[in-house]
Amino acid sequence: MSTESAVRRYVVVRNDEEQYSIWPVGRALPPGWHDQGFSGPKDECLGHIRRVWTDLRPRTLRELAGS
């Protein structure tokens, strides 16, 4: 891992379909994505996403399936 990627910080974001991603801290979020209040190094953000995003189906598909 490079020194630059070790110190770069990200924020966990989620879209209206409840899909998660990370975004560099300080950059404007793309339309439709919302800050989830968790930030840190890339590995920590990805670990947080693994813990909270347990059903990878988009929200509308889950609603159609009734779960």
Short mmCIF file of all heavy atoms in Angstrom, two decimals:
data_model
loop_
_atom_site.label_atom_id
_atom_site.label_comp_id
_atom_site.label_asym_id
_atom_site.label_seq_id
_atom_site.Cartn_x
_atom_site.Cartn_y
_atom_site.Cartn_z
N MET A 1 0.86 -1.18 0.00
CA MET A 1 0.00 0.00 0.00
C MET A 1 0.90 1.23 0.00
O MET A 1 1.84 1.33 0.76
CB MET A 1 -0.91 -0.03 1.24
CG MET A 1 -1.79 1.19 1.35
SD MET A 1 -2.76 1.33 2.88
CE MET A 1 -3.65 -0.18 2.93
N SER A 2 0.56 2.18 -0.82
CA SER A 2 1.37 3.40 -0.86
C SER A 2 1.06 4.28 0.33
O SER A 2 0.00 4.18 0.93
CB SER A 2 1.11 4.15 -2.17
OG SER A 2 -0.15 4.77 -2.12
N THR A 3 1.97 5.17 0.66
CA THR A 3 1.76 6.09 1.77
C THR A 3 0.56 6.98 1.51
O THR A 3 -0.24 7.24 2.40
CB THR A 3 3.02 6.96 1.98
OG1 THR A 3 4.13 6.09 2.17
CG2 THR A 3 2.86 7.86 3.17
N GLU A 4 0.40 7.42 0.25
CA GLU A 4 -0.73 8.28 -0.08
C GLU A 4 -2.06 7.58 0.18
O GLU A 4 -2.96 8.15 0.79
CB GLU A 4 -0.66 8.70 -1.55
CG GLU A 4 -1.82 9.59 -1.96
CD GLU A 4 -1.78 9.95 -3.44
OE1 GLU A 4 -0.71 9.88 -4.04
OE2 GLU A 4 -2.85 10.29 -3.96
N SER A 5 -2.22 6.32 -0.23
CA SER A 5 -3.49 5.62 -0.02
C SER A 5 -3.70 5.30 1.45
O SER A 5 -4.84 5.14 1.90
CB SER A 5 -3.56 4.36 -0.88
OG SER A 5 -2.56 3.45 -0.49
N ALA A 6 -2.63 5.20 2.23
CA ALA A 6 -2.76 4.91 3.66
C ALA A 6 -3.32 6.11 4.42
O ALA A 6 -3.96 5.94 5.44
CB ALA A 6 -1.41 4.51 4.24
N VAL A 7 -3.07 7.33 3.94
CA VAL A 7 -3.54 8.51 4.66
C VAL A 7 -4.80 9.13 4.04
O VAL A 7 -5.43 9.97 4.66
CB VAL A 7 -2.43 9.59 4.76
CG1 VAL A 7 -1.26 9.06 5.55
CG2 VAL A 7 -1.99 10.06 3.40
N ARG A 8 -5.14 8.74 2.84
CA ARG A 8 -6.35 9.27 2.20
C ARG A 8 -7.58 8.85 3.00
O ARG A 8 -7.68 7.73 3.47
CB ARG A 8 -6.45 8.74 0.77
CG ARG A 8 -7.60 9.36 0.01
CD ARG A 8 -7.61 8.93 -1.42
NE ARG A 8 -6.43 9.47 -2.08
CZ ARG A 8 -5.93 9.00 -3.20
NH1 ARG A 8 -6.49 7.98 -3.80
NH2 ARG A 8 -4.87 9.55 -3.74
N ARG A 9 -8.51 9.77 3.17
CA ARG A 9 -9.71 9.50 3.96
C ARG A 9 -10.92 9.47 3.04
O ARG A 9 -10.99 10.19 2.05
CB ARG A 9 -9.89 10.53 5.06
CG ARG A 9 -8.77 10.45 6.10
CD ARG A 9 -8.96 11.39 7.25
NE ARG A 9 -10.18 11.19 7.99
CZ ARG A 9 -10.37 10.26 8.94
NH1 ARG A 9 -9.41 9.42 9.23
NH2 ARG A 9 -11.52 10.18 9.59
N TYR A 10 -11.84 8.62 3.41
CA TYR A 10 -13.07 8.44 2.66
C TYR A 10 -14.27 8.55 3.59
O TYR A 10 -14.14 8.43 4.81
CB TYR A 10 -13.10 7.05 2.01
CG TYR A 10 -12.02 6.87 0.97
CD1 TYR A 10 -10.75 6.44 1.32
CD2 TYR A 10 -12.28 7.14 -0.37
CE1 TYR A 10 -9.75 6.29 0.37
CE2 TYR A 10 -11.29 6.99 -1.33
CZ TYR A 10 -10.04 6.56 -0.96
OH TYR A 10 -9.05 6.42 -1.90
N VAL A 11 -15.43 8.76 2.99
CA VAL A 11 -16.68 8.75 3.72
C VAL A 11 -17.54 7.64 3.13
O VAL A 11 -17.49 7.37 1.93
CB VAL A 11 -17.39 10.13 3.64
CG1 VAL A 11 -17.74 10.51 2.21
CG2 VAL A 11 -18.62 10.18 4.51
N VAL A 12 -18.30 6.96 3.98
CA VAL A 12 -19.23 5.94 3.51
C VAL A 12 -20.49 6.66 3.04
O VAL A 12 -21.03 7.51 3.75
CB VAL A 12 -19.56 4.92 4.63
CG1 VAL A 12 -20.64 3.95 4.19
CG2 VAL A 12 -18.29 4.17 5.03
N VAL A 13 -20.94 6.30 1.85
CA VAL A 13 -22.13 6.91 1.27
C VAL A 13 -23.13 5.83 0.88
O VAL A 13 -22.76 4.67 0.68
CB VAL A 13 -21.78 7.79 0.04
CG1 VAL A 13 -20.93 8.98 0.46
CG2 VAL A 13 -21.06 6.99 -1.03
N ARG A 14 -24.40 6.22 0.78
CA ARG A 14 -25.46 5.29 0.39
C ARG A 14 -26.40 6.01 -0.55
O ARG A 14 -26.71 7.19 -0.35
CB ARG A 14 -26.22 4.81 1.62
CG ARG A 14 -27.22 3.70 1.32
CD ARG A 14 -27.86 3.19 2.56
NE ARG A 14 -28.85 4.17 3.01
CZ ARG A 14 -29.63 4.02 4.05
NH1 ARG A 14 -29.52 2.97 4.82
NH2 ARG A 14 -30.50 4.94 4.37
N ASN A 15 -26.89 5.30 -1.55
CA ASN A 15 -27.83 5.93 -2.49
C ASN A 15 -29.27 5.60 -2.11
O ASN A 15 -29.52 4.91 -1.12
CB ASN A 15 -27.50 5.55 -3.94
CG ASN A 15 -27.72 4.08 -4.24
OD1 ASN A 15 -28.38 3.35 -3.52
ND2 ASN A 15 -27.14 3.64 -5.34
N ASP A 16 -30.20 6.08 -2.90
CA ASP A 16 -31.62 5.89 -2.60
C ASP A 16 -32.06 4.43 -2.72
O ASP A 16 -33.11 4.06 -2.20
CB ASP A 16 -32.47 6.78 -3.50
CG ASP A 16 -32.25 8.26 -3.22
OD1 ASP A 16 -31.85 8.60 -2.09
OD2 ASP A 16 -32.46 9.08 -4.13
N GLU A 17 -31.27 3.61 -3.38
CA GLU A 17 -31.54 2.17 -3.47
C GLU A 17 -30.87 1.41 -2.32
O GLU A 17 -30.85 0.19 -2.31
CB GLU A 17 -31.06 1.62 -4.81
CG GLU A 17 -31.98 1.98 -5.97
CD GLU A 17 -33.34 1.29 -5.87
OE1 GLU A 17 -33.41 0.11 -5.47
OE2 GLU A 17 -34.34 1.95 -6.20
N GLU A 18 -30.29 2.15 -1.38
CA GLU A 18 -29.62 1.60 -0.20
C GLU A 18 -28.41 0.75 -0.57
O GLU A 18 -28.09 -0.24 0.08
CB GLU A 18 -30.60 0.85 0.69
CG GLU A 18 -31.69 1.79 1.21
CD GLU A 18 -32.72 1.11 2.09
OE1 GLU A 18 -32.68 -0.13 2.25
OE2 GLU A 18 -33.58 1.84 2.60
N GLN A 19 -27.69 1.18 -1.61
CA GLN A 19 -26.43 0.58 -2.00
C GLN A 19 -25.31 1.46 -1.47
O GLN A 19 -25.42 2.68 -1.50
CB GLN A 19 -26.35 0.47 -3.53
CG GLN A 19 -27.44 -0.41 -4.10
CD GLN A 19 -27.55 -0.26 -5.60
OE1 GLN A 19 -27.67 0.85 -6.11
NE2 GLN A 19 -27.53 -1.38 -6.30
N TYR A 20 -24.25 0.84 -0.98
CA TYR A 20 -23.17 1.56 -0.31
C TYR A 20 -21.95 1.70 -1.21
O TYR A 20 -21.70 0.89 -2.09
CB TYR A 20 -22.74 0.83 0.96
CG TYR A 20 -23.74 0.96 2.08
CD1 TYR A 20 -24.87 0.15 2.13
CD2 TYR A 20 -23.55 1.89 3.09
CE1 TYR A 20 -25.79 0.26 3.16
CE2 TYR A 20 -24.46 2.01 4.13
CZ TYR A 20 -25.57 1.19 4.16
OH TYR A 20 -26.47 1.31 5.17
N SER A 21 -21.16 2.72 -0.92
CA SER A 21 -19.89 2.95 -1.58
C SER A 21 -19.05 3.85 -0.69
O SER A 21 -19.48 4.23 0.40
CB SER A 21 -20.11 3.61 -2.95
OG SER A 21 -18.90 3.63 -3.67
N ILE A 22 -17.84 4.16 -1.14
CA ILE A 22 -17.00 5.13 -0.44
C ILE A 22 -16.70 6.28 -1.40
O ILE A 22 -16.74 6.11 -2.62
CB ILE A 22 -15.70 4.50 0.10
CG1 ILE A 22 -14.82 3.95 -1.03
CG2 ILE A 22 -16.02 3.43 1.13
CD1 ILE A 22 -13.47 3.46 -0.56
N TRP A 23 -16.42 7.43 -0.82
CA TRP A 23 -16.16 8.64 -1.60
C TRP A 23 -15.08 9.43 -0.89
O TRP A 23 -15.09 9.51 0.34
CB TRP A 23 -17.45 9.45 -1.71
CG TRP A 23 -17.42 10.49 -2.78
CD1 TRP A 23 -17.32 11.83 -2.58
CD2 TRP A 23 -17.48 10.29 -4.18
NE1 TRP A 23 -17.33 12.48 -3.80
CE2 TRP A 23 -17.42 11.54 -4.80
CE3 TRP A 23 -17.58 9.16 -4.99
CZ2 TRP A 23 -17.46 11.71 -6.18
CZ3 TRP A 23 -17.62 9.32 -6.36
CH2 TRP A 23 -17.56 10.59 -6.93
N PRO A 24 -14.15 10.03 -1.63
CA PRO A 24 -13.10 10.81 -0.97
C PRO A 24 -13.66 11.97 -0.14
O PRO A 24 -14.55 12.70 -0.60
CB PRO A 24 -12.27 11.35 -2.15
CG PRO A 24 -12.55 10.41 -3.28
CD PRO A 24 -13.97 9.99 -3.08
N VAL A 25 -13.15 12.11 1.08
CA VAL A 25 -13.56 13.22 1.95
C VAL A 25 -13.21 14.53 1.25
O VAL A 25 -12.14 14.67 0.65
CB VAL A 25 -12.85 13.11 3.31
CG1 VAL A 25 -13.00 14.39 4.11
CG2 VAL A 25 -13.39 11.93 4.10
N GLY A 26 -14.11 15.49 1.31
CA GLY A 26 -13.86 16.81 0.75
C GLY A 26 -14.37 17.00 -0.66
O GLY A 26 -14.44 18.13 -1.13
N ARG A 27 -14.73 15.92 -1.33
CA ARG A 27 -15.29 16.04 -2.68
C ARG A 27 -16.81 16.06 -2.58
O ARG A 27 -17.40 15.35 -1.75
CB ARG A 27 -14.87 14.86 -3.56
CG ARG A 27 -13.40 14.94 -3.93
CD ARG A 27 -13.00 13.91 -4.93
NE ARG A 27 -13.79 14.02 -6.16
CZ ARG A 27 -13.78 13.10 -7.11
NH1 ARG A 27 -13.04 12.01 -6.98
NH2 ARG A 27 -14.49 13.25 -8.20
N ALA A 28 -17.46 16.86 -3.40
CA ALA A 28 -18.92 16.91 -3.42
C ALA A 28 -19.47 15.54 -3.80
O ALA A 28 -18.95 14.89 -4.71
CB ALA A 28 -19.39 17.98 -4.40
N LEU A 29 -20.51 15.13 -3.10
CA LEU A 29 -21.12 13.85 -3.40
C LEU A 29 -21.90 13.92 -4.71
O LEU A 29 -22.53 14.94 -5.00
CB LEU A 29 -22.07 13.42 -2.28
CG LEU A 29 -21.44 13.13 -0.93
CD1 LEU A 29 -22.52 12.77 0.08
CD2 LEU A 29 -20.42 12.03 -1.04
N PRO A 30 -21.92 12.84 -5.47
CA PRO A 30 -22.73 12.82 -6.68
C PRO A 30 -24.22 12.88 -6.31
O PRO A 30 -24.60 12.46 -5.21
CB PRO A 30 -22.40 11.47 -7.33
CG PRO A 30 -21.23 10.92 -6.60
CD PRO A 30 -21.17 11.61 -5.28
N PRO A 31 -25.06 13.36 -7.20
CA PRO A 31 -26.50 13.39 -6.93
C PRO A 31 -27.01 12.00 -6.56
O PRO A 31 -26.62 11.01 -7.16
CB PRO A 31 -27.11 13.88 -8.25
CG PRO A 31 -26.00 14.62 -8.93
CD PRO A 31 -24.73 13.91 -8.52
N GLY A 32 -27.87 11.96 -5.56
CA GLY A 32 -28.48 10.70 -5.15
C GLY A 32 -27.70 9.92 -4.11
O GLY A 32 -28.16 8.88 -3.65
N TRP A 33 -26.53 10.39 -3.72
CA TRP A 33 -25.73 9.72 -2.70
C TRP A 33 -25.71 10.56 -1.44
O TRP A 33 -25.67 11.78 -1.49
CB TRP A 33 -24.30 9.49 -3.22
CG TRP A 33 -24.26 8.45 -4.29
CD1 TRP A 33 -24.44 8.66 -5.63
CD2 TRP A 33 -24.08 7.05 -4.12
NE1 TRP A 33 -24.36 7.46 -6.30
CE2 TRP A 33 -24.13 6.45 -5.39
CE3 TRP A 33 -23.86 6.23 -3.02
CZ2 TRP A 33 -23.99 5.09 -5.58
CZ3 TRP A 33 -23.70 4.86 -3.21
CH2 TRP A 33 -23.77 4.31 -4.48
N HIS A 34 -25.74 9.88 -0.27
CA HIS A 34 -25.86 10.55 1.01
C HIS A 34 -24.80 10.05 1.99
O HIS A 34 -24.57 8.84 2.11
CB HIS A 34 -27.26 10.31 1.59
CG HIS A 34 -28.35 10.54 0.58
ND1 HIS A 34 -28.78 11.79 0.24
CD2 HIS A 34 -29.04 9.66 -0.19
CE1 HIS A 34 -29.73 11.68 -0.69
NE2 HIS A 34 -29.89 10.40 -0.97
N ASP A 35 -24.20 10.97 2.71
CA ASP A 35 -23.19 10.66 3.72
C ASP A 35 -23.84 9.84 4.83
O ASP A 35 -24.91 10.19 5.34
CB ASP A 35 -22.65 11.98 4.29
CG ASP A 35 -21.52 11.81 5.27
OD1 ASP A 35 -21.38 10.74 5.88
OD2 ASP A 35 -20.77 12.79 5.44
N GLN A 36 -23.20 8.74 5.23
CA GLN A 36 -23.73 7.87 6.27
C GLN A 36 -23.08 8.10 7.63
O GLN A 36 -23.33 7.34 8.58
CB GLN A 36 -23.59 6.40 5.85
CG GLN A 36 -24.44 6.05 4.66
CD GLN A 36 -25.91 6.33 4.92
OE1 GLN A 36 -26.53 5.65 5.73
NE2 GLN A 36 -26.45 7.33 4.27
N GLY A 37 -22.25 9.12 7.74
CA GLY A 37 -21.68 9.48 9.03
C GLY A 37 -20.49 8.65 9.46
O GLY A 37 -20.12 8.67 10.64
N PHE A 38 -19.89 7.91 8.56
CA PHE A 38 -18.70 7.12 8.90
C PHE A 38 -17.61 7.51 7.92
O PHE A 38 -17.82 7.50 6.71
CB PHE A 38 -18.98 5.62 8.78
CG PHE A 38 -17.85 4.76 9.27
CD1 PHE A 38 -17.85 4.28 10.56
CD2 PHE A 38 -16.78 4.44 8.44
CE1 PHE A 38 -16.79 3.50 11.03
CE2 PHE A 38 -15.72 3.67 8.89
CZ PHE A 38 -15.73 3.19 10.19
N SER A 39 -16.43 7.84 8.44
CA SER A 39 -15.31 8.18 7.58
C SER A 39 -14.03 7.62 8.16
O SER A 39 -13.96 7.30 9.36
CB SER A 39 -15.19 9.69 7.39
OG SER A 39 -14.90 10.31 8.63
N GLY A 40 -13.02 7.48 7.32
CA GLY A 40 -11.73 6.98 7.76
C GLY A 40 -10.93 6.49 6.57
O GLY A 40 -11.29 6.75 5.42
N PRO A 41 -9.87 5.74 6.85
CA PRO A 41 -9.09 5.15 5.76
C PRO A 41 -9.96 4.16 4.95
O PRO A 41 -10.97 3.64 5.45
CB PRO A 41 -7.96 4.41 6.47
CG PRO A 41 -7.91 5.00 7.85
CD PRO A 41 -9.30 5.45 8.16
N LYS A 42 -9.54 3.89 3.74
CA LYS A 42 -10.31 3.03 2.84
C LYS A 42 -10.66 1.69 3.48
O LYS A 42 -11.82 1.25 3.42
CB LYS A 42 -9.51 2.81 1.55
CG LYS A 42 -10.24 2.01 0.51
CD LYS A 42 -9.41 1.93 -0.76
CE LYS A 42 -10.14 1.21 -1.86
NZ LYS A 42 -9.34 1.19 -3.10
N ASP A 43 -9.69 1.01 4.08
CA ASP A 43 -9.95 -0.31 4.67
C ASP A 43 -11.01 -0.26 5.76
O ASP A 43 -11.85 -1.15 5.86
CB ASP A 43 -8.66 -0.92 5.22
CG ASP A 43 -7.70 -1.34 4.13
OD1 ASP A 43 -8.12 -1.43 2.95
OD2 ASP A 43 -6.52 -1.58 4.45
N GLU A 44 -10.98 0.77 6.60
CA GLU A 44 -11.97 0.90 7.66
C GLU A 44 -13.36 1.15 7.09
O GLU A 44 -14.35 0.61 7.58
CB GLU A 44 -11.59 2.01 8.63
CG GLU A 44 -10.40 1.66 9.50
CD GLU A 44 -10.04 2.77 10.47
OE1 GLU A 44 -10.90 3.62 10.77
OE2 GLU A 44 -8.88 2.78 10.91
N CYS A 45 -13.44 1.99 6.07
CA CYS A 45 -14.73 2.28 5.44
C CYS A 45 -15.32 1.03 4.78
O CYS A 45 -16.51 0.73 4.92
CB CYS A 45 -14.60 3.40 4.42
SG CYS A 45 -14.33 5.01 5.17
N LEU A 46 -14.47 0.27 4.10
CA LEU A 46 -14.94 -0.96 3.46
C LEU A 46 -15.36 -1.99 4.51
O LEU A 46 -16.35 -2.71 4.33
CB LEU A 46 -13.88 -1.52 2.53
CG LEU A 46 -13.58 -0.65 1.31
CD1 LEU A 46 -12.42 -1.25 0.51
CD2 LEU A 46 -14.81 -0.47 0.43
N GLY A 47 -14.67 -2.05 5.62
CA GLY A 47 -15.06 -2.93 6.72
C GLY A 47 -16.41 -2.55 7.29
O GLY A 47 -17.24 -3.41 7.59
N HIS A 48 -16.64 -1.25 7.44
CA HIS A 48 -17.93 -0.77 7.94
C HIS A 48 -19.05 -1.18 6.97
O HIS A 48 -20.10 -1.67 7.41
CB HIS A 48 -17.90 0.75 8.10
CG HIS A 48 -19.20 1.33 8.51
ND1 HIS A 48 -19.69 1.22 9.80
CD2 HIS A 48 -20.14 2.01 7.81
CE1 HIS A 48 -20.87 1.81 9.87
NE2 HIS A 48 -21.16 2.30 8.67
N ILE A 49 -18.81 -1.02 5.69
CA ILE A 49 -19.82 -1.40 4.69
C ILE A 49 -20.10 -2.90 4.78
O ILE A 49 -21.27 -3.32 4.75
CB ILE A 49 -19.37 -1.00 3.27
CG1 ILE A 49 -19.41 0.52 3.14
CG2 ILE A 49 -20.25 -1.67 2.22
CD1 ILE A 49 -18.80 1.05 1.85
N ARG A 50 -19.08 -3.73 4.93
CA ARG A 50 -19.30 -5.18 5.05
C ARG A 50 -20.18 -5.52 6.26
O ARG A 50 -20.98 -6.45 6.20
CB ARG A 50 -17.97 -5.92 5.17
CG ARG A 50 -17.27 -6.13 3.84
CD ARG A 50 -16.10 -7.09 3.95
NE ARG A 50 -15.00 -6.54 4.73
CZ ARG A 50 -14.04 -5.75 4.25
NH1 ARG A 50 -14.06 -5.42 2.98
NH2 ARG A 50 -13.09 -5.30 5.02
N ARG A 51 -20.05 -4.74 7.33
CA ARG A 51 -20.85 -5.01 8.54
C ARG A 51 -22.30 -4.56 8.39
O ARG A 51 -23.20 -5.22 8.90
CB ARG A 51 -20.22 -4.32 9.75
CG ARG A 51 -18.94 -4.99 10.24
CD ARG A 51 -18.44 -4.39 11.54
NE ARG A 51 -18.07 -2.98 11.45
CZ ARG A 51 -16.91 -2.53 10.99
NH1 ARG A 51 -16.00 -3.37 10.57
NH2 ARG A 51 -16.66 -1.24 10.95
N VAL A 52 -22.54 -3.44 7.69
CA VAL A 52 -23.90 -2.89 7.66
C VAL A 52 -24.70 -3.26 6.42
O VAL A 52 -25.93 -3.23 6.45
CB VAL A 52 -23.90 -1.35 7.82
CG1 VAL A 52 -23.30 -0.95 9.16
CG2 VAL A 52 -23.20 -0.66 6.67
N TRP A 53 -24.05 -3.62 5.32
CA TRP A 53 -24.76 -3.92 4.07
C TRP A 53 -24.88 -5.43 3.95
O TRP A 53 -24.12 -6.09 3.29
CB TRP A 53 -24.01 -3.32 2.91
CG TRP A 53 -24.76 -3.29 1.61
CD1 TRP A 53 -26.09 -3.51 1.43
CD2 TRP A 53 -24.23 -3.01 0.32
NE1 TRP A 53 -26.42 -3.38 0.10
CE2 TRP A 53 -25.29 -3.07 -0.60
CE3 TRP A 53 -22.96 -2.71 -0.14
CZ2 TRP A 53 -25.11 -2.85 -1.97
CZ3 TRP A 53 -22.78 -2.48 -1.49
CH2 TRP A 53 -23.84 -2.55 -2.39
N THR A 54 -25.88 -5.99 4.62
CA THR A 54 -26.02 -7.44 4.69
C THR A 54 -26.88 -8.02 3.57
O THR A 54 -26.81 -9.21 3.30
CB THR A 54 -26.61 -7.84 6.05
OG1 THR A 54 -27.86 -7.17 6.23
CG2 THR A 54 -25.65 -7.45 7.18
N ASP A 55 -27.71 -7.21 2.94
CA ASP A 55 -28.54 -7.66 1.82
C ASP A 55 -28.18 -6.80 0.62
O ASP A 55 -28.52 -5.62 0.58
CB ASP A 55 -30.02 -7.53 2.17
CG ASP A 55 -30.94 -8.17 1.13
OD1 ASP A 55 -30.49 -8.37 -0.02
OD2 ASP A 55 -32.09 -8.45 1.47
N LEU A 56 -27.47 -7.36 -0.33
CA LEU A 56 -26.93 -6.58 -1.44
C LEU A 56 -27.97 -6.23 -2.51
O LEU A 56 -27.66 -5.48 -3.43
CB LEU A 56 -25.76 -7.32 -2.08
CG LEU A 56 -24.59 -7.61 -1.13
CD1 LEU A 56 -23.45 -8.27 -1.89
CD2 LEU A 56 -24.10 -6.36 -0.44
N ARG A 57 -29.18 -6.74 -2.38
CA ARG A 57 -30.20 -6.40 -3.36
C ARG A 57 -30.60 -4.93 -3.22
O ARG A 57 -30.70 -4.41 -2.11
CB ARG A 57 -31.45 -7.25 -3.18
CG ARG A 57 -31.22 -8.74 -3.39
CD ARG A 57 -32.46 -9.54 -3.08
NE ARG A 57 -32.79 -9.39 -1.67
CZ ARG A 57 -33.95 -9.77 -1.13
NH1 ARG A 57 -34.88 -10.33 -1.87
NH2 ARG A 57 -34.17 -9.60 0.15
N PRO A 58 -30.87 -4.25 -4.35
CA PRO A 58 -31.36 -2.88 -4.28
C PRO A 58 -32.69 -2.83 -3.50
O PRO A 58 -33.45 -3.80 -3.48
CB PRO A 58 -31.58 -2.48 -5.74
CG PRO A 58 -30.73 -3.43 -6.52
CD PRO A 58 -30.69 -4.70 -5.72
N ARG A 59 -32.96 -1.69 -2.87
CA ARG A 59 -34.16 -1.52 -2.05
C ARG A 59 -35.43 -1.90 -2.82
O ARG A 59 -36.30 -2.61 -2.30
CB ARG A 59 -34.27 -0.07 -1.57
CG ARG A 59 -35.51 0.21 -0.72
CD ARG A 59 -35.64 1.69 -0.36
NE ARG A 59 -35.52 2.56 -1.51
CZ ARG A 59 -36.52 2.85 -2.36
NH1 ARG A 59 -37.70 2.33 -2.19
NH2 ARG A 59 -36.32 3.67 -3.37
N THR A 60 -35.57 -1.43 -4.05
CA THR A 60 -36.81 -1.72 -4.81
C THR A 60 -36.98 -3.20 -5.06
O THR A 60 -38.09 -3.71 -5.02
CB THR A 60 -36.85 -0.93 -6.14
OG1 THR A 60 -35.64 -1.16 -6.85
CG2 THR A 60 -37.02 0.55 -5.89
N LEU A 61 -35.91 -3.93 -5.29
CA LEU A 61 -36.01 -5.38 -5.48
C LEU A 61 -36.43 -6.08 -4.18
O LEU A 61 -37.26 -6.98 -4.20
CB LEU A 61 -34.69 -5.93 -5.99
CG LEU A 61 -34.67 -7.43 -6.32
CD1 LEU A 61 -35.70 -7.77 -7.38
CD2 LEU A 61 -33.28 -7.85 -6.77
N ARG A 62 -35.86 -5.63 -3.06
CA ARG A 62 -36.27 -6.21 -1.77
C ARG A 62 -37.74 -5.95 -1.50
O ARG A 62 -38.46 -6.84 -1.03
CB ARG A 62 -35.42 -5.61 -0.64
CG ARG A 62 -33.99 -6.07 -0.64
CD ARG A 62 -33.26 -5.74 0.66
NE ARG A 62 -33.51 -4.42 1.18
CZ ARG A 62 -32.80 -3.33 0.90
NH1 ARG A 62 -31.78 -3.40 0.09
NH2 ARG A 62 -33.10 -2.18 1.44
N GLU A 63 -38.22 -4.76 -1.83
CA GLU A 63 -39.62 -4.43 -1.61
C GLU A 63 -40.53 -5.29 -2.50
O GLU A 63 -41.58 -5.74 -2.06
CB GLU A 63 -39.87 -2.95 -1.86
CG GLU A 63 -39.26 -2.06 -0.79
CD GLU A 63 -39.34 -0.59 -1.12
OE1 GLU A 63 -39.76 -0.21 -2.24
OE2 GLU A 63 -38.96 0.21 -0.24
N LEU A 64 -40.13 -5.52 -3.74
CA LEU A 64 -40.91 -6.36 -4.64
C LEU A 64 -40.98 -7.80 -4.14
O LEU A 64 -41.98 -8.48 -4.30
CB LEU A 64 -40.33 -6.34 -6.05
CG LEU A 64 -40.57 -5.08 -6.85
CD1 LEU A 64 -39.78 -5.12 -8.16
CD2 LEU A 64 -42.05 -4.89 -7.14
N ALA A 65 -39.87 -8.25 -3.54
CA ALA A 65 -39.81 -9.61 -3.02
C ALA A 65 -40.54 -9.76 -1.68
O ALA A 65 -40.76 -10.87 -1.21
CB ALA A 65 -38.36 -10.05 -2.86
N GLY A 66 -40.89 -8.62 -1.07
CA GLY A 66 -41.63 -8.64 0.19
C GLY A 66 -40.81 -8.96 1.41
O GLY A 66 -41.32 -9.42 2.41
N SER A 67 -39.49 -8.70 1.33
CA SER A 67 -38.67 -8.97 2.52
C SER A 67 -38.01 -7.73 3.03
O SER A 67 -37.94 -6.72 2.46
CB SER A 67 -37.61 -10.01 2.22
OG SER A 67 -36.78 -9.62 1.16
#
